Amino acid sequence: MTFSTLRSVSPLHIEYLGNMGVRATVAISLVQNNPGQNNLAKTNHLWGMVVCHHTTPRTLSFERRTICEFLGQSIAMELATKEANENIDYKLSLKQMQSRFVTALTQSSSLSEGLTQNPDDLLALTGSTGVAFCDGDDITLIGQTPPANEVSHLVAWLSKQFDQSKVYHTAALSKVYTPALNFEERTSGLLAISISQAQRLCVVWFRPEVLQTVNWAGNPNSAKTVHSGDKAGAETEIMSPRRSFALWQQTVERRSQPWKPCEIEAAQELQTAVIGLVLRHADELAQLNAELAHSNTELDAFAYIASHDLKEPLRGIYNYSSFLIEDYGDALDQDGIDKLNTLMRLTQRMENLINSLLRYSRLGRAALVIDTVDIHELVNNVIEMVKMSKSETVDFQVSPTLPAARVDRTQVAELFTNLITNGIKYNNKDPKQITIGHLSAQAAQEKGILPAGSEHLINSEVYFVQDNGIGIREKHLDLVFRIFKRLHPPKRFGGGTGAGLTISKKIVERHQGTIWLQSTYGEGSTFYFTLTGPKAE
Ligand code: ADP
């Protein structure tokens, strides 16, 4: 009894066979075994059947039945090999396309460029007619796709459909996503890969609807028949197999060609390659940032130590030159004394330069002491200090509405001091005028003052220091922020080390702000700056 099995036969099936005039039947099922690759679960599914009918009753011997079973198993096994070898050329071309993509991606500057520079390949990779590359709100459409606004809604819906494999596909989109009814002619099939859920990065391929005609042996929907009269005489509805086996044609709508496993696999492999590249770029970027931060700290430390240690021998040179003049002045002629005086002046200048460098390096090292500072009051204090050190009369205009800001008080005072003293120093007008004011970045943008690429500052407050001084030529506008860069000979306009604006820039940047200027040569300059980062407002 080892091989005995008992199976009851459905009375509906017997009725169905009877309707066909069949008195004996044998069915060999072809069960296909799916080994469960690529995140697909291991499954057995009924691929098809070999069915033999006879018009007279017959029995099959045990041997024949065993042979039939063996045949069924052999055919099922053969099926897997047949399917694997099917379209071998197509699969090979998909593989070649994949490797072309990986090469293009590694060589291009951005993901979008790498993916979309060869649109035909991107379409052919999955045998699609349209594709959308979505990077947040940026959507690039290629070929036959739904309109951009529909794609954007579709992508929002898709983000909820991605399972762990982050691949989603369907050949009948409107069945799962009803808004697709609006554009289903162009898009009945959809295959999507998610690259980053957080950054809303994904690629979505589309296939159009393909009307298919299916031939049936009889209308399968006519299986339901009404039988009247139970014992109580009531009419009941029961299932009964169809009686007619005439050819019945069905038109299948709202479906695309199904996605072949090798096409889904190609999309999945592209996804793995892209994710790998994105992660590698992120890693490289993080490493570069860490190295940059490290070398910046080292540079600051180096500048500090070097300038600090340089001061000592410099002091020695200065002191020995002054001793020489004092003790051996009589033994030297005027030329010798002049040379020693020049040496002392040069060491003095070098000390000033070193002090500027020290100040600059300290700025990078010191922690910011952030406080809510009344900028109006701070500017007035700076003006008082400046007035004390300068004898000339200056016409100061300070906007009474200068808003308070969360900043480091000492550093921002130094910033205003640098800009105001420069406005007075590089000024040959009478009277000298300095205006300190503010405006919103929005207003600055409307007036065309906001520099290109600063749209991220749109919520910030823009402060400005304006003078009616000598102005700066257009070609020198970028140079003024370079350390030790002066546009004039050392003695003109009261001298200076050329570090004031470099220090000012560093102060602004430490507050996550931006500094820029507008100037008309001979008429005056305006230095604009923000004191907060884009989101801090
Ligand atoms: P310093 O004033 O010590 O020379 P800065 O870094 O403050 O150094 O300025 C660099 C150069 O930029 C100055 O030498 C000067 O030529 C120019 N400059 C700065 N501010 C102004 C201004 N308000 N008007 C005209 N030129 C200026």
Side-chain angles (χ1 to χ4, degrees):
M1 298 295 282
T2 313
F3 300 109
S4 304
T5 46
L6 192 62
R7 235 194 99 184
S8 66
V9 181
S10 151
L12 211 68
H13 184 55
I14 294 174
E15 193 184 339
Y16 172 74
L17 293 173
N19 290 348
M20 270 197 293
V22 170
R23 305 302 305 278
T25 184
V26 58
I28 308 168
S29 48
L30 303 177
V31 176
Q32 202 182 14
N33 183 287
N34 184 331
Q37 285 166 346
N38 296 317
N39 301 322
L40 297 172
K42 188 176 169 171
T43 48
N44 287 333
H45 77 270
L46 183 67
W47 185 88
M49 284 207 288
V50 180
V51 183
C52 313
H53 296 317
H54 206 272
T55 46
T56 54
R58 295 192 69 154
T59 40
L60 278 188
S61 65
F62 174 69
E63 285 77 17
R64 282 194 178 171
R65 287 203 307 273
T66 316
I67 289 171
C68 286
E69 199 179 334
F70 173 72
L71 267 178
Q73 283 169 358
S74 313
I75 294 171
M77 268 162 66
E78 194 58 21
L79 272 175
T81 336
K82 282 249 182 282
E83 278 198 351
N85 291 337
E86 198 185 44
N87 302 328
I88 200 93
D89 290 344
Y90 180 52
K91 286 177 190 168
L92 217 67
S93 76
L94 289 189
K95 286 272 175 230
Q96 280 166 353
M97 247 177 274
Q98 269 172 36
S99 56
R100 274 212 294 278
F101 263 111
V102 176
T103 319
L105 280 167
T106 42
Q107 286 168 357
S108 45
S109 58
S110 73
L111 190 60
S112 134
E113 187 196 303
L115 281 175
T116 56
Q117 66 183 336
N118 210 337
D120 290 343
D121 270 3
L122 189 59
L123 292 173
L125 188 71
T126 58
S128 314
T129 49
V131 62
F133 171 68
C134 312
D135 181 355
D137 292 332
D138 282 349
I139 296 179
T140 312
L141 298 177
I142 297 169
Q144 270 191 325
T145 64
N149 62 327
E150 295 281 9
V151 173
S152 143
H153 291 140
L154 180 64
V155 167
W157 171 81
L158 262 177
S159 64
K160 294 181 209 115
Q161 315 304 315
F162 286 124
D163 58 7
Q164 278 185 340
S165 68
K166 301 206 186 300
V167 177
Y168 181 82
H169 60 91
T170 172
L173 183 62
S174 61
K175 278 209 175 130
V176 281
Y177 179 69
T178 33
L181 289 170
N182 300 331
F183 52 81
E184 67 188 348
E185 277 162 38
R186 264 173 293 171
T187 314
S188 285
L190 172 147
L191 168 59
I193 54 170
S194 161
I195 296 163
S196 160
Q197 290 267 60
Q199 292 172 31
R200 294 191 291 138
L201 264 180
C202 64
V203 184
V204 189
W205 286 273
F206 302 106
R207 266 183 187 177
E209 175 185 26
V210 175
L211 293 179
Q212 292 172 50
T213 309
V214 181
N215 292 332
W216 296 83
N219 183 349
N221 301 323
S222 68
K224 197 167 53 170
T225 13
V226 174
H227 287 246
S228 62
D230 61 359
K231 274 183 195 145
E235 198 170 82
T236 52
E237 198 177 68
I238 59 159
M239 286 289 288
S240 159
R242 63 177 178 268
R243 286 161 200 281
S244 160
F245 294 91
L247 176 73
W248 182 80
Q249 284 199 328
Q250 184 197 12
T251 308
V252 181
E253 294 173 323
R254 296 177 181 166
R255 287 191 81 88
S256 70
Q257 287 286 3
W259 299 98
K260 290 187 179 143
C262 60
E263 290 161 345
I264 300 171
E265 209 174 289
Q268 251 167 346
E269 283 179 16
L270 179 74
Q271 177 200 40
T272 315
V274 172
I275 291 177
L277 278 173
V278 170
L279 289 179
R280 216 176 60 210
H281 276 158
D283 270 0
E284 282 170 3
L285 213 65
Q287 201 175 338
L288 274 179
N289 273 339
E291 279 170 17
L292 206 67
H294 183 66
S295 66
N296 270 346
T297 331
E298 278 200 339
L299 211 64
D300 273 344
F302 171 76
Y304 179 78
I305 294 164
S307 45
H308 188 267
D309 291 359
L310 278 176
K311 278 176 82 170
E312 197 194 306
L314 204 63
R315 276 266 124 220
I317 298 171
Y318 183 87
N319 290 342
Y320 273 90
S321 310
S322 104
F323 295 157
L324 268 177
I325 293 177
E326 273 172 31
D327 300 345
Y328 299 94
D330 298 341
L332 289 170
D333 62 5
Q334 193 52 44
D335 190 37
I337 292 175
D338 286 350
K339 287 206 163 89
L340 278 176
N341 278 327
T342 309
L343 184 68
M344 283 167 69
R345 216 183 45 251
L346 286 175
T347 49
Q348 193 82 60
R349 173 149 174 76
M350 190 153 177
E351 192 175 358
N352 288 343
L353 289 176
I354 289 175
N355 282 338
S356 301
L357 198 61
L358 256 175
R359 176 77 200 107
Y360 181 74
S361 67
R362 274 201 192 116
L363 259 184
R365 292 148 62 84
L368 291 184
V369 184
I370 299 290
D371 207 353
T372 305
V373 176
D374 180 342
I375 302 288
H376 184 254
E377 186 192 321
L378 178 137
V379 167
N380 282 326
N381 290 343
V382 168
I383 291 174
E384 286 310 308
M385 295 281 287
V386 171
K387 273 184 185 161
M388 273 193 261
S389 61
K390 302 234 182 259
S391 51
E392 57 223 312
T393 41
V394 181
D395 176 9
F396 286 105
Q397 303 284 336
V398 182
S399 160
T401 55
L402 279 176
R406 301 266 310 149
V407 293
D408 182 304
R409 182 187 299 273
T410 322
Q411 289 198 5
V412 172
E414 184 171 349
L415 167 67
F416 275 105
T417 311
N418 284 344
L419 298 180
I420 292 171
T421 45
N422 275 354
I424 302 170
K425 203 158 80 167
Y426 301 105
N427 200 324
N428 50 9
K429 308 276 164 51
D430 191 17
K432 297 180 179 187
Q433 285 171 344
I434 305 287
T435 310
I436 295 119
H438 70 103
L439 74 166
S440 68
Q442 185 86 47
Q445 193 183 38
E446 279 157 24
K447 289 183 180 176
I449 296 169
L450 211 62
S454 313
E455 289 72 21
H456 61 287
L457 299 173
I458 211 70
N459 294 323
S460 312
E461 196 63 31
V462 178
Y463 298 88
F464 65 84
V465 176
Q466 189 170 50
D467 62 62
N468 62 340
I470 58 170
I472 301 168
R473 283 192 172 91
E474 174 114 31
K475 61 179 178 183
H476 292 143
L477 287 182
D478 287 338
L479 295 181
V480 293
F481 291 110
R482 274 203 214 155
I483 194 154
F484 301 145
K485 184 75 196 171
R486 300 200 77 234
L487 302 179
H488 309 99
K491 280 186 186 158
R492 279 205 73 194
F493 297 108
T497 59
L501 286 180
T502 318
I503 289 175
S504 304
K505 187 166 189 256
K506 187 147 188 175
I507 293 175
V508 168
E509 284 172 356
R510 288 217 64 195
H511 286 81
Q512 265 105 56
T514 306
I515 185 165
W516 70 99
L517 76 145
Q518 284 190 339
S519 189
T520 311
Y521 189 60
E523 286 182 23
S525 316
T526 311
F527 285 82
Y528 299 94
F529 56 92
T530 60
L531 286 173
T532 43
K535 290 190 193 100
E537 289 273 305

